[in-house]
Amino acid sequence: MKILLLGIGNLLFGDEGIGVHFINYIGEKYRFEGEPKIDLVDGGTLAQRLIPIIVEYDHVIIVDTINAPGVQAGEVYFFDFDAIPDTVDWQGSAHEVEMLQTLNMMDLAGDRPTTMIMGVVPTVIEATEFSLSEGVAAAVPLMEKTLLHYLKSMGIDAVKKAEVDIQAILPNSYRVLDAYCI
């Protein structure tokens, strides 16, 4: 089994980049042992251009921003794409083409792997800087704990290789592309 941890977002729009920042953070902090194998990929805002990559995997975990009415920035959701909670609106981000439409297109072709979504509610999606709001930065430990617990349930052990502060890696997230990018 092949697992893809796919970070989605635009690094230039503050919290909108959390998916990419988060996978860079996880990649800097952990190495993974056991079967199945996991790959970390910066999907940026490529959406439909990610289809040839996604179809190569049996299981994909997408990290992205989501919207939900009446909740605070930094709220974390983790759900199966086949059972999106009614309260979650996974549209309206700053992506050029939404990941939701990309996954729906893959469904039409019967090519979508099992898909889990880790979404966090953003605050800042219009700033043109490498930053995260206080609420989204505070959500990172819960996102990390949720991801590691889920991977453990799939037989993947995360071994910490370094202490990493996500705020410290933000200015260089775009440079990490050599390690994880397609």
Side-chain angles (χ1 to χ4, degrees):
M1 177 188 285
K2 292 174 58 179
I3 299 174
L4 172 62
L5 179 61
L6 181 62
I8 300 295
N10 188 329
L11 297 173
L12 295 176
F13 293 116
D15 288 348
E16 164 61 27
I18 183 63
V20 174
H21 293 307
F22 184 74
I23 65 129
N24 289 337
Y25 167 77
I26 292 296
E28 292 288 323
K29 190 169 183 177
Y30 297 100
R31 63 181 163 81
F32 297 97
E33 297 179 347
E35 291 293 333
K37 296 296 182 195
I38 183 168
D39 292 327
L40 285 64
V41 171
D42 169 358
T45 57
L46 296 177
Q48 295 172 357
R49 291 174 49 198
L50 293 170
I51 291 173
I53 295 162
I54 294 171
V55 299
E56 296 295 321
Y57 290 87
D58 304 299
H59 196 104
V60 61
I61 302 167
I62 296 174
V63 184
D64 198 1
T65 57
I66 60 165
N67 295 317
V71 300
Q72 299 287 323
E75 292 281 334
V76 176
Y77 291 81
F78 189 58
F79 53 88
D80 189 320
F81 181 73
D82 291 325
I84 297 175
D86 292 338
T87 57
V88 170
D89 174 10
W90 198 30
Q91 299 184 58
S93 71
H95 305 337
E96 293 170 8
V97 177
E98 301 297 331
M99 197 65 209
L100 176 63
Q101 286 87 2
T102 299
L103 294 174
N104 286 334
M105 289 170 54
M106 294 180 74
D107 272 344
L108 291 174
D111 286 338
R112 184 177 59 81
T114 300
T115 306
M116 297 294 293
I117 308 297
M118 177 174 286
V120 61
V121 177
T123 297
V124 180
I125 60 171
E126 296 177 1
T128 53
E129 60 187 10
F130 298 119
S131 67
L132 296 175
S133 69
E134 186 175 305
V136 169
V140 169
L142 177 58
M143 295 170 68
E144 179 179 351
K145 181 179 177 183
T146 301
L147 175 67
L148 297 182
H149 179 73
Y150 184 72
L151 293 177
K152 180 77 173 173
S153 75
M154 298 183 75
I156 299 172
D157 290 319
V159 178
K160 188 183 288 186
K161 61 181 185 181
E163 287 296 328
V164 178
D165 176 355
I166 195 166
Q167 295 286 15
I169 68 169
L170 297 182
N172 295 310
S173 272
Y174 70 95
R175 293 182 180 160
V176 181
L177 299 179
D178 288 344
Y180 311 109
C181 191
I182 52 174

